[in-house]
Amino acid sequence: MSRPYSSELRTARAQANRRIVVDTAQRMFVDEGWTATTMAKVAETSGLTRQTVYQHFDSKLSLLDACIDNALSDGRAIPVRDMPEYRQMGMGDRRLRIDAGARWLCSAHERSAGIQNVLDQAAVTDVEAAARLADRENTRWEEVHWATSLILGSEPPAEVVDGMWTLTSRRIWLMLVRDRGWTADQWRGWFTVQAGVILASA
Protein backbone atom coordinates (compact mmCIF):
# COMPACT_ATOMS: atom_id res chain seq x y z
CA MET A 1 0.00 0.00 0.00
CA SER A 2 1.34 3.42 -0.93
CA ARG A 3 1.72 6.09 1.72
CA PRO A 4 -1.06 8.73 1.85
CA TYR A 5 -0.22 11.84 -0.11
CA SER A 6 0.77 14.70 2.17
CA SER A 7 -0.30 18.13 0.93
CA GLU A 8 1.53 19.69 3.88
CA LEU A 9 4.79 18.09 2.82
CA ARG A 10 4.30 19.25 -0.75
CA THR A 11 3.52 22.79 0.42
CA ALA A 12 6.59 22.85 2.66
CA ARG A 13 8.78 21.60 -0.19
CA ALA A 14 7.36 24.20 -2.56
CA GLN A 15 8.00 26.98 -0.02
CA ALA A 16 11.56 25.76 0.50
CA ASN A 17 12.18 25.65 -3.24
CA ARG A 18 10.82 29.17 -3.62
CA ARG A 19 13.18 30.45 -0.92
CA ILE A 20 16.11 28.74 -2.64
CA VAL A 21 15.21 30.30 -5.98
CA VAL A 22 14.79 33.80 -4.52
CA ASP A 23 18.01 33.63 -2.47
CA THR A 24 19.98 32.31 -5.44
CA ALA A 25 18.52 34.80 -7.90
CA GLN A 26 19.11 37.72 -5.55
CA ARG A 27 22.81 36.91 -5.32
CA MET A 28 23.07 36.41 -9.07
CA PHE A 29 21.19 39.58 -9.98
CA VAL A 30 23.43 41.68 -7.72
CA ASP A 31 26.68 39.99 -8.78
CA GLU A 32 26.00 39.46 -12.48
CA GLY A 33 23.33 42.02 -13.39
CA TRP A 34 20.01 41.90 -15.18
CA THR A 35 21.11 40.70 -18.61
CA ALA A 36 23.49 37.94 -17.52
CA THR A 37 21.07 36.45 -14.99
CA THR A 38 18.71 34.11 -16.84
CA MET A 39 16.01 31.83 -15.54
CA ALA A 40 18.00 28.83 -16.83
CA LYS A 41 21.11 29.92 -14.92
CA VAL A 42 19.09 30.53 -11.76
CA ALA A 43 17.64 27.01 -12.03
CA GLU A 44 21.07 25.47 -12.61
CA THR A 45 22.70 27.37 -9.75
CA SER A 46 19.76 26.55 -7.47
CA GLY A 47 20.06 22.85 -8.24
CA LEU A 48 16.45 22.86 -9.40
CA THR A 49 14.78 22.31 -12.74
CA ARG A 50 13.63 25.14 -14.96
CA GLN A 51 10.11 23.79 -14.58
CA THR A 52 10.35 24.22 -10.80
CA VAL A 53 11.54 27.81 -11.17
CA TYR A 54 8.72 28.62 -13.59
CA GLN A 55 6.18 27.06 -11.24
CA HIS A 56 6.90 29.93 -8.88
CA PHE A 57 7.79 32.77 -11.27
CA ASP A 58 6.42 33.21 -14.76
CA SER A 59 9.14 35.63 -15.85
CA LYS A 60 12.53 37.01 -14.91
CA LEU A 61 10.88 40.31 -13.95
CA SER A 62 8.49 38.60 -11.53
CA LEU A 63 11.49 36.83 -9.99
CA LEU A 64 13.36 40.13 -9.63
CA ASP A 65 10.25 41.63 -8.06
CA ALA A 66 10.20 38.86 -5.46
CA CYS A 67 13.89 39.40 -4.73
CA ILE A 68 13.30 43.11 -4.12
CA ASP A 69 10.34 42.44 -1.83
CA ASN A 70 12.38 39.89 0.10
CA ALA A 71 15.21 42.37 0.61
CA LEU A 72 12.89 45.20 1.64
CA SER A 73 11.05 43.07 4.20
CA ASP A 74 14.28 41.52 5.50
CA GLY A 75 12.53 38.17 5.14
CA ARG A 76 10.03 39.08 7.87
CA ALA A 77 6.32 38.40 7.49
CA ILE A 78 5.04 41.47 9.36
CA PRO A 79 4.21 44.73 7.52
CA VAL A 80 7.07 47.21 7.42
CA ARG A 81 5.07 49.89 9.24
CA ASP A 82 4.55 47.52 12.17
CA MET A 83 8.24 46.79 12.67
CA PRO A 84 9.48 48.22 16.00
CA GLU A 85 12.47 50.00 14.45
CA TYR A 86 10.17 51.68 11.91
CA ARG A 87 7.72 52.82 14.59
CA GLN A 88 10.59 54.59 16.37
CA MET A 89 10.16 57.38 13.80
CA GLY A 90 7.03 58.40 15.70
CA MET A 91 8.60 58.53 19.17
CA GLY A 92 10.52 61.22 21.03
CA ASP A 93 11.47 64.69 19.84
CA ARG A 94 12.12 65.50 16.20
CA ARG A 95 15.86 64.92 16.46
CA LEU A 96 15.29 61.41 17.79
CA ARG A 97 12.67 60.74 15.12
CA ILE A 98 14.98 61.83 12.30
CA ASP A 99 17.77 59.72 13.77
CA ALA A 100 15.43 56.71 13.87
CA GLY A 101 14.54 57.39 10.23
CA ALA A 102 18.22 57.55 9.29
CA ARG A 103 18.93 54.24 11.03
CA TRP A 104 15.89 52.57 9.46
CA LEU A 105 16.69 53.79 5.97
CA CYS A 106 20.38 52.95 6.26
CA SER A 107 19.47 49.38 7.16
CA ALA A 108 16.94 49.19 4.31
CA HIS A 109 19.48 50.49 1.79
CA GLU A 110 22.13 48.05 3.00
CA ARG A 111 19.68 45.20 2.39
CA SER A 112 18.01 46.33 -0.79
CA ALA A 113 19.81 49.08 -2.74
CA GLY A 114 21.88 46.57 -4.72
CA ILE A 115 18.95 44.43 -5.83
CA GLN A 116 16.76 47.46 -6.55
CA ASN A 117 19.54 48.84 -8.72
CA VAL A 118 19.06 45.79 -10.95
CA LEU A 119 15.52 47.01 -11.69
CA ASP A 120 17.04 50.36 -12.67
CA GLN A 121 19.30 48.46 -15.12
CA ALA A 122 16.40 46.45 -16.52
CA ALA A 123 14.23 49.53 -17.01
CA VAL A 124 16.70 50.96 -19.53
CA THR A 125 15.84 48.34 -22.16
CA ASP A 126 12.73 46.52 -20.89
CA VAL A 127 9.37 48.28 -21.20
CA GLU A 128 7.69 46.12 -18.54
CA ALA A 129 10.58 46.72 -16.16
CA ALA A 130 10.32 50.47 -16.77
CA ALA A 131 6.61 50.34 -15.89
CA ARG A 132 7.35 48.30 -12.77
CA LEU A 133 10.03 50.79 -11.73
CA ALA A 134 7.55 53.64 -12.13
CA ASP A 135 5.02 51.76 -9.98
CA ARG A 136 7.63 51.12 -7.30
CA GLU A 137 8.71 54.76 -7.27
CA ASN A 138 5.09 55.85 -6.82
CA THR A 139 4.79 53.40 -3.94
CA ARG A 140 8.06 54.70 -2.48
CA TRP A 141 6.68 58.25 -2.57
CA GLU A 142 3.64 57.08 -0.60
CA GLU A 143 5.88 55.33 1.93
CA VAL A 144 8.05 58.43 2.30
CA HIS A 145 4.86 60.45 2.79
CA TRP A 146 3.82 58.10 5.59
CA ALA A 147 7.24 58.17 7.27
CA THR A 148 7.49 61.96 6.99
CA SER A 149 4.05 62.28 8.60
CA LEU A 150 5.24 59.98 11.38
CA ILE A 151 8.33 62.09 12.05
CA LEU A 152 6.47 65.39 11.94
CA GLY A 153 3.38 64.17 13.75
CA SER A 154 1.27 66.00 11.15
CA GLU A 155 0.45 66.03 7.45
CA PRO A 156 3.48 67.32 5.48
CA PRO A 157 3.26 69.60 2.43
CA ALA A 158 3.80 67.79 -0.87
CA GLU A 159 7.03 69.66 -1.57
CA VAL A 160 8.47 68.47 1.74
CA VAL A 161 7.59 64.89 0.83
CA ASP A 162 9.19 65.45 -2.58
CA GLY A 163 12.36 66.64 -0.88
CA MET A 164 12.46 63.61 1.41
CA TRP A 165 11.63 61.30 -1.51
CA THR A 166 14.67 62.66 -3.34
CA LEU A 167 16.91 62.49 -0.28
CA THR A 168 15.96 58.88 0.49
CA SER A 169 16.72 57.63 -3.02
CA ARG A 170 18.79 54.46 -3.26
CA ARG A 171 20.62 56.09 -6.18
CA ILE A 172 22.03 58.74 -3.84
CA TRP A 173 22.92 56.03 -1.32
CA LEU A 174 24.77 54.02 -3.99
CA MET A 175 26.58 57.10 -5.30
CA LEU A 176 27.85 58.02 -1.85
CA VAL A 177 28.43 54.63 -0.22
CA ARG A 178 29.33 52.39 -3.16
CA ASP A 179 30.92 54.90 -5.53
CA ARG A 180 32.42 57.45 -3.14
CA GLY A 181 33.26 55.01 -0.36
CA TRP A 182 31.27 56.59 2.45
CA THR A 183 30.68 54.54 5.57
CA ALA A 184 27.16 53.92 6.85
CA ASP A 185 27.89 56.29 9.76
CA GLN A 186 28.95 59.04 7.36
CA TRP A 187 25.77 58.60 5.34
CA ARG A 188 23.56 58.62 8.45
CA GLY A 189 25.18 61.82 9.72
CA TRP A 190 24.78 63.52 6.34
CA PHE A 191 21.20 62.31 5.97
CA THR A 192 20.24 63.54 9.43
CA VAL A 193 21.48 67.06 8.66
CA GLN A 194 19.81 67.22 5.24
CA ALA A 195 16.52 65.76 6.52
CA GLY A 196 16.50 68.31 9.34
CA VAL A 197 16.78 71.16 6.81
CA ILE A 198 13.97 69.77 4.62
CA LEU A 199 11.65 69.07 7.54
CA ALA A 200 12.25 72.51 9.08
CA SER A 201 10.30 73.99 6.18
CA ALA A 202 7.18 71.94 7.00
Side-chain angles (χ1 to χ4, degrees):
M1 178 182 288
S2 61
R3 295 180 61 186
Y5 174 74
S6 171
S7 61
E8 290 182 3
L9 180 60
R10 181 176 180 180
T11 298
R13 185 177 295 124
Q15 290 174 341
N17 284 342
R18 188 183 190 282
R19 283 194 298 271
I20 291 168
V21 171
V22 169
D23 289 345
T24 301
Q26 189 166 327
R27 289 192 300 271
M28 293 179 68
F29 276 130
V30 172
D31 293 343
E32 301 176 25
W34 168 254
T35 302
T37 303
T38 65
M39 297 289 271
K41 286 183 179 178
V42 169
E44 180 182 357
T45 306
S46 300
L48 301 169
T49 65
R50 270 193 263 188
Q51 180 183 5
T52 299
V53 173
Y54 277 104
Q55 282 174 349
H56 295 285
F57 306 101
D58 61 4
S59 68
K60 186 164 75 165
L61 183 57
S62 67
L63 176 54
L64 175 58
D65 230 14
C67 292
I68 292 171
D69 287 339
N70 183 62
L72 287 170
S73 68
D74 198 17
R76 289 186 274 181
I78 64 172
V80 168
R81 294 178 185 182
D82 291 340
M83 293 178 182
E85 59 271 38
Y86 187 97
R87 294 170 67 87
Q88 289 290 318
M89 284 187 274
M91 302 176 185
D93 61 26
R94 184 174 293 185
R95 182 187 60 80
L96 289 174
R97 293 178 182 215
I98 293 174
D99 183 62
R103 284 184 281 109
W104 163 262
L105 189 59
C106 184
S107 176
H109 280 327
E110 286 175 331
R111 293 192 311 271
S112 68
I115 189 66
Q116 291 195 80
N117 187 52
V118 177
L119 182 57
D120 296 335
Q121 297 169 17
V124 174
T125 56
D126 188 297
V127 174
E128 287 185 48
R132 189 69 189 100
L133 176 60
D135 287 343
R136 282 193 172 273
E137 281 300 300
N138 287 334
T139 298
R140 190 173 72 82
W141 191 95
E142 294 296 338
E143 288 302 318
V144 170
H145 181 199
W146 178 269
T148 303
S149 301
L150 200 59
I151 292 171
L152 291 175
S154 61
E155 178 66 19
E159 62 269 21
V160 169
V161 180
D162 288 343
M164 292 297 288
W165 179 68
T166 302
L167 183 64
T168 59
S169 169
R170 66 183 168 278
R171 297 180 184 102
I172 292 177
W173 161 271
L174 288 169
M175 282 169 31
L176 295 175
V177 174
R178 182 191 64 189
D179 300 339
R180 295 296 301 158
W182 282 24
T183 65
D185 283 344
Q186 281 178 295
W187 181 87
R188 281 196 303 270
W190 172 82
F191 176 89
T192 298
V193 171
Q194 304 308 319
V197 172
I198 293 171
L199 296 174
S201 64

